[in-house]
Amino acid sequence: MVMRLLLVEDDAGVADALSETLQARGHTVSHAIRGCDALHRHREADVILLDLGLPDMDGLDVLRKVRQVSLVPVLVLTARGDERSVVRGLRLGADDYLTKPVRLAELLARMDAVVRRAAITAAPQDDIVRVEDVEIDLGARRVLVDGTDIGLTTKEFAVLAVLAARPGTAVSRQQLMDEVWGDAYLAVSRSLDVHLTQLRAKLDRPGLLTTIRGFGYRFGRD
């Protein structure tokens, strides 16, 4: 799958090496050094590869601003591997989070996965799932709780949509990661945990999204 990539990276050596490698695989790569440039050019890309250590602003601020106006897939590529940064990136709407040095095969696979999932979730859907006072509009990609839009991120909605499509049915952790990330092996396990924690907090309906110990999760009451 050939993609238009926007590489947001202030290290010229890293940017040149990565651009050359990705272009050799057939992708079109444009390079931005500053966060403000990324904000002006994000509409040019099928995928954004975002470093966090930028000269003019923190990459997480770039991610937050992009997410306010666009659902373009964003893969964070950074040296920051601490849990706090990973959790913040995922909560702000990153589709994936990779720490440097990045293995090329893994990066290519994750790029394919996020684009494939974005295409599927963007497809027209008419289903509306209602459980108690929670309404999940799969077509509009909107979740209302007691009539109020709770503002889910792209990945939070994707996780809930998989569970809501099978209300009252247990869904395995592996199946959930397969459907949301495209491959359970590639999916970062703690990414799923972060999104589920956020989902429970935003839904604010204890017991509606439950953990099936040793197996997976269920949306709906017993």
Side-chain angles (χ1 to χ4, degrees):
M1 183 186 303
V2 177
M3 306 174 200
R4 297 172 303 157
L5 306 174
L6 175 59
L7 175 61
V8 188
E9 170 64 68
D10 70 328
D11 186 312
V14 172
D16 289 345
L18 195 52
S19 295
E20 182 178 348
T21 301
L22 291 170
Q23 287 169 347
R25 296 299 182 106
H27 300 297
T28 300
V29 182
S30 54
H31 177 216
I33 295 174
R34 300 183 303 165
C36 63
D37 295 328
L39 294 176
H40 284 115
R41 297 167 56 189
H42 70 270
R43 292 182 179 84
E44 305 170 6
D46 298 315
V47 177
I48 297 175
L49 305 178
L50 177 65
D51 186 25
L52 298 184
L54 303 175
D56 61 332
M57 60 195 303
D58 191 281
L60 291 175
D61 290 328
V62 176
L63 173 60
R64 178 176 55 80
K65 291 177 182 294
V66 167
R67 275 294 166 261
Q68 290 174 351
V69 297
S70 175
L71 295 177
V72 61
V74 177
L75 271 70
V76 171
L77 304 180
T78 180
R80 294 188 206 168
D82 61 284
E83 186 172 0
R84 182 173 181 272
S85 294
V86 174
V87 169
R88 283 195 66 202
L90 294 171
R91 285 179 173 172
L92 288 171
D95 293 271
D96 214 331
Y97 193 111
L98 300 175
T99 53
K100 299 174 182 177
V102 178
R103 292 175 297 181
L104 177 62
E106 182 177 7
L107 173 59
L108 293 171
R110 291 189 183 230
M111 284 165 40
D112 285 341
V114 299
V115 168
R116 185 166 60 248
R117 294 308 309 166
I120 292 172
T121 55
Q125 301 181 66
D126 299 321
D127 293 352
I128 294 180
V129 178
R130 294 183 179 87
V131 177
E132 299 177 3
D133 64 346
V134 177
E135 178 180 300
I136 303 162
D137 189 329
L138 299 175
R141 299 179 56 77
R142 181 180 61 192
V143 178
L144 304 179
V145 176
D146 194 21
T148 300
D149 190 334
I150 60 174
L152 299 185
T153 67
T154 304
K155 272 294 185 288
E156 288 166 0
F157 182 87
V159 170
L160 183 58
V162 171
L163 296 170
R166 309 163 177 84
T169 302
V171 178
S172 73
R173 188 178 178 90
Q174 179 172 346
Q175 182 179 356
L176 190 53
M177 290 192 291
D178 278 343
E179 294 196 32
V180 174
W181 279 269
D183 189 325
Y185 177 76
L186 291 174
V188 179
S189 182
R190 62 181 169 177
S191 299
L192 176 58
D193 295 332
V194 169
H195 294 308
L196 285 165
T197 298
Q198 288 295 104
L199 266 175
R200 287 190 173 105
K202 290 182 179 181
L203 288 169
D204 193 24
R205 293 296 182 269
L208 195 60
L209 201 171
T210 57
T211 299
I212 311 300
R213 186 176 297 278
F215 180 77
Y217 309 91
R218 180 179 61 239
F219 179 70
R221 306 290 183 185
D222 292 335

